[in-house]
Amino acid sequence: MANRKYNIKKIILLVLLLGITVGGGIAYYIFNMPHIDVQAQKADYTVSTTALVSEYLQDEKLANEKYLGNEGDSKIFVVTGTVKSMDINLNNQKTVLLQEDADKAGVMCVFMAETNAHAAEIKIGEHVSIKGIIRSGANYDEDLELYENVLLEKCDLVKE
Amino acid sequence: MSRKSRIDIFSHTAAEDISAVNYAATAILNKESGEVVVSVPMQSFEFQKALMQKYFNSDKFLNTKPFPKAKFKGKISNLKDINFQKEGVYHAMIDGEMTLKETTKAISEMGTITVKDGQIIIETKLKIVLADYKIAFEKGKPSTNIAKAFDVTMKIEY
């Protein structure tokens, strides 16, 4: 009898220990969870720059609702368009603006340290496809007095 | 118009230091009127911890899905002290308003303007008190780990 009691105690203790280990492990993982690897994910949408920009200029609210995530986990796009300009930001990331001549705004694509070399292959006037995560949409800003572009980050060139 | 910017946010509590960086703002500077406008895509703030980034964007905090951009709109009030044609470091008083989520607050900050090699660099530091923008935490982990105010450092190259 005493032996059985001892065994039950042992089992409870083991279960508790297992619970703490698994629970602690999950908590540790959540606390230190990695950032989303955009390039490893499947694209949610494949569109032309013209289509994405005009969707935003028609109804920004609706487009935000559709494309932006609640916790920054926004949609991943492959956007195709003409390279209008290229630059480099203060984080040494290459930026490529895809915009058609007839459009009021374009899609600004920000590359990463890992993909910067691919952006170097791109030339102005070229027609390319770029994959990235959307951070904000296009709109006319009355204070800036200009059209803001759609912003994609963590970008890479999609090879056809 | 400039797209070369760096905005750092930093908060300190006994539990944890939290910092994030954003390189994606669009800014204008009107040298004649002294007007400065900075539009900041909020989902571009990159935190070291993905979990913190999630909290930051969530509806409990900055709610960046319906409010994806923050905006600073202001004017350099001592424009006469600054010569954009002459190299040097100038102190600037910038008065304006900041819009975060749905709330707009007046702010007034000191900054420096550096004119060098044909480039104009504006740098400023400001404090954002979260409660001013109706950003309040319920009890729980983020509320104890995040300070009641954020230090914001802004650098824009024109």
Side-chain angles (χ1 to χ4, degrees), chain B residues 67-95:
Chain B
F67 305 110
K69 283 176 190 165
K71 191 187 278 173
F72 172 78
K73 196 179 145 188
K75 232 173 181 176
I76 301 168
S77 56
N78 62 331
L79 198 61
K80 59 174 177 19
D81 301 333
I82 298 151
N83 184 351
F84 290 110
Q85 314 305 325
K86 197 180 156 205
E87 290 206 349
V89 180
Y90 303 90
H91 291 288
M93 267 309 293
I94 306 169
D95 297 322

Side-chain angles (χ1 to χ4, degrees), chain B residues 90-145:
Chain B
Y90 303 90
H91 291 288
M93 267 309 293
I94 306 169
D95 297 322
E97 50 189 33
M98 175 80 89
T99 306
L100 274 184
K101 283 167 87 172
E102 280 175 302
T103 310
T104 301
K105 290 285 291 184
I107 58 171
S108 182
E109 294 294 334
M110 283 296 289
T112 59
I113 295 179
T114 307
V115 181
K116 206 182 172 217
D117 301 330
Q119 213 179 26
I120 297 165
I121 301 165
I122 297 187
E123 285 167 285
T124 181
K125 262 187 184 174
L126 47 118
K127 212 173 198 72
I128 300 276
V129 178
L130 297 178
D132 285 351
Y133 297 90
K134 296 178 189 139
I135 300 164
F137 287 111
E138 304 302 317
K139 55 181 183 288
K141 187 136 177 63
S143 68
T144 50
N145 279 32

Side-chain angles (χ1 to χ4, degrees), chain A residues 31 33 35 65 68-72 74 87-88 90-91 135 137 139 141 143 148-149 151 153-154, chain B residues 1 3-5 16 23 26 39 43-44 46-50 53 57-58 65 69 71 73 157:
Chain A
F31 192 65
M33 71 165 91
H35 283 279
E65 185 59 40
L68 296 185
N70 271 326
E71 297 181 324
S74 298
D87 207 343
I88 192 156
L90 289 188
N91 196 24
R135 300 297 201 196
N139 66 315
D141 189 299
D143 298 311
E148 285 216 86
N149 301 307
L151 176 66
E153 289 188 330
K154 307 207 180 279
Chain B
M1 199 258 292
R3 286 208 183 86
K4 287 187 193 286
S5 64
E16 204 174 7
Y23 295 94
T26 305
S39 168
Q43 293 201 351
S44 292
E46 186 94 13
F47 289 70
Q48 208 180 1
K49 286 201 169 84
Q53 198 158 327
N57 285 304
S58 75
K65 180 176 174 149
K69 283 176 190 165
K71 191 187 278 173
K73 196 179 145 188
E157 288 184 13

